[in-house]
Amino acid sequence: MLSQFRPAISLLALMTLITGVAYPLTVTGIAQLAFPEQANGSLVRDAKGEVRGSSLLAQNFEGPEWFQPRPSAASFATVASGASNLAPSNPALADRINKDAHRLATEGHGKVPMALVTTSGSGLDPHLPPAAAHFQIPRIAAERGLPADSLERLVEQNTERPLVGPAVVNVLALNTALNEMIR
């Protein structure tokens, strides 16, 4: 019986070393060499070099003076990321969306864009459609005492146009640029 266990244990140890140590270290090394920014979390730093977040994850911005991201079903916590799993027919979802829409509504600016009242599948999508960013400009201009046309240019400068898919605006990058614009 020992003659059967020895090869099995040896193979288990070998495969553990290959798949649990050698392969992850090799992939990590290649990633660090080929894509260092992405391998280290796509961190966004301010002018002082301090980390402000990741360009891949949404974060909450408190106050009307900031561009707001999509709502998060996970309260912007990466551990509990995910959708709310509320069906479109669920009254709780309709109630939350209505409250958010009333909170964001501005007289004479039309309907609140859906991206500002609905969560993404992960609850951590850092992007908004440009229309959702433009919708927020009058509020931010009034709060910060800035001309709306300079905020329009800021949104345009921070609009990403990928080869495939619609144009998007990264809210963290936009707010970082807004903060730098004021200094």
Side-chain angles (χ1 to χ4, degrees):
M1 181 123 106
L2 186 59
S3 64
Q4 293 175 342
F5 279 125
R6 187 175 305 182
I9 290 172
S10 298
L11 186 59
L12 176 64
L14 178 65
M15 293 307 293
T16 299
L17 286 173
I18 291 171
T19 62
V21 178
Y23 178 75
L25 288 175
T26 302
V27 170
T28 301
I30 292 170
Q32 288 292 334
L33 291 172
F35 309 104
E37 182 183 334
Q38 294 89 337
N40 292 311
S42 300
L43 300 177
V44 175
R45 299 178 188 277
D46 63 11
K48 296 178 186 174
E50 295 179 25
V51 175
R52 293 295 172 203
S54 170
S55 63
L56 303 174
L57 298 171
Q59 62 186 46
N60 196 21
F61 286 91
E62 296 292 327
E65 69 275 13
W66 298 104
F67 285 95
Q68 300 298 314
R70 294 177 75 118
S72 173
S75 300
F76 299 99
T78 58
V79 175
S81 69
S84 67
N85 290 333
L86 296 177
S89 60
N90 190 312
L93 178 63
D95 184 47
R96 189 202 47 84
I97 289 174
N98 283 331
K99 283 181 184 175
D100 284 350
H102 286 299
R103 179 179 52 82
L104 294 169
T106 306
E107 186 92 18
H109 282 74
K111 291 182 177 180
V112 176
M114 288 299 290
L116 291 175
V117 294
T118 57
T119 62
S120 66
S122 68
L124 299 171
D125 185 6
H127 298 103
L128 281 177
H134 286 286
F135 179 83
Q136 300 181 63
I137 288 175
R139 171 182 43 83
I140 296 165
E143 285 291 324
R144 292 190 178 250
L146 295 171
D149 62 335
S150 66
L151 292 175
E152 294 278 350
R153 282 192 302 276
L154 190 68
V155 169
E156 284 305 315
Q157 290 168 356
N158 285 279
T159 299
E160 301 168 14
R161 291 176 174 80
L163 290 174
V164 177
V168 292
V169 178
N170 185 299
V171 178
L172 176 58
L174 182 60
N175 280 332
T176 301
L178 175 63
N179 204 33
E180 294 300 318
M181 184 174 94
I182 295 168
R183 290 184 180 176

